[in-house]
Amino acid sequence: MLYVADVAVKCPDCGIKFVSKQLPLLLDTGCRNSELRQDFKGSMPQMEHYAVATCPSCGKADWSVSFQPIDEQALLSQADMATHLQFRSAAIGAERRGRDFYNIGLLYLHAAWCADDVLAAPQAREYRKLAADAFRKAIVDVSCPVDQRPEIEYLIGELLRRAGEFEVARSYFNQVLPHLPSRFALMARRLIRLCESGNSEAIDFDFG
């Protein structure tokens, strides 16, 4: 069970104060699926739904931590809308403001995960394509942290596979396989076989 706290915050754009729902304590079981999402196997709600907030006044959406906590009472609550739509709005806003593509990719990735949780399959597929495209650009413009590059190179292929782009994903994996670390290369080979059978389901990540 997750402990959810009401945190009063201030919107950096319009200055409105509102209550956001956040997780003061993040759990890490060490278990990930092939898309590198922490997987609680249904034992508790996924944490990503508490990582985004939307201002109820101006509609600014962003990571919850981007809204400054305040020691004041707030009467308004964060905007009530599907989490995947909040992440989508945050990603669009980030791109318009010229933020780095690595961050934009992470926002679309979280949008895809949250869309999965409410069975919004068409939206999830589209978010994955947008995340993969943003991550490709992040590698080119070097906004992807160096220590995260192998993970992101692997993740691009998996996002494409899960979006149903099987031939594109298979070709991509074959292209990056030679320089992926062993644990990602092992998973990539398994995912290539899933591409060949037209399987877009997530599987457990094998850490070897």
Side-chain angles (χ1 to χ4, degrees):
M1 185 174 181
L2 296 177
Y3 169 60
V4 181
D6 289 335
V7 180
V9 297
K10 182 178 180 180
C11 177
D13 282 10
C14 70
I16 287 292
K17 301 165 188 173
F18 64 96
V19 176
S20 66
K21 293 193 174 295
Q22 301 185 28
L23 296 177
L25 178 65
L26 299 180
L27 304 176
D28 192 341
T29 63
C31 297
R32 299 284 190 278
N33 67 17
S34 52
E35 213 167 41
L36 305 180
R37 185 187 192 188
Q38 184 161 212
D39 193 354
F40 293 122
K41 304 293 185 183
S43 63
M44 64 178 69
Q46 294 293 145
M47 296 188 296
E48 293 85 7
H49 294 274
Y50 303 99
V52 68
T54 300
C55 175
S57 177
C58 69
K60 174 187 172 63
D62 208 338
W63 302 106
S64 297
V65 294
S66 70
F67 293 89
Q68 179 185 359
I70 56 173
D71 294 321
E72 302 175 42
Q73 184 177 13
L75 300 178
L76 297 176
S77 297
Q78 66 182 46
D80 182 18
M81 59 189 296
T83 314
H84 71 92
L85 295 177
Q86 294 187 64
F87 274 117
R88 173 184 178 272
S89 178
I92 292 172
E95 191 159 10
R96 285 175 178 166
R97 293 190 296 274
R99 285 168 67 176
D100 65 89
F101 281 108
Y102 178 70
N103 188 60
I104 292 167
L106 288 177
L107 290 166
Y108 276 125
L109 177 62
H110 280 65
W113 291 344
C114 292
D116 283 344
D117 294 340
V118 294
L119 305 180
Q123 293 93 327
R125 284 194 295 272
E126 184 61 23
Y127 298 149
R128 286 186 166 92
K129 293 177 187 177
L130 291 167
D133 182 62
F135 284 140
R136 282 181 184 267
K137 292 175 180 175
I139 290 175
V140 172
D141 73 7
V142 203
S143 62
C144 175
V146 174
D147 62 339
Q148 295 296 310
R149 179 163 178 159
E151 178 178 306
I152 295 301
E153 288 187 326
Y154 158 84
L155 187 55
I156 289 169
E158 174 60 344
L159 285 166
L160 293 169
R161 181 188 73 86
R162 297 222 53 217
E165 301 288 332
F166 301 118
E167 184 53 35
V168 177
R170 188 189 66 80
S171 175
Y172 173 84
F173 275 132
N174 282 323
Q175 176 187 335
V176 298
L177 254 176
H179 58 266
L180 285 179
S182 58
R183 62 174 181 156
F184 290 124
L186 176 65
M187 279 300 298
R189 291 188 180 95
R190 293 180 61 190
L191 298 178
I192 287 172
R193 292 195 291 273
L194 293 182
C195 287
E196 292 168 347
S197 63
N199 187 335
S200 64
E201 294 301 310
I203 61 174
D204 289 341
F205 190 96
D206 184 359
F207 287 93

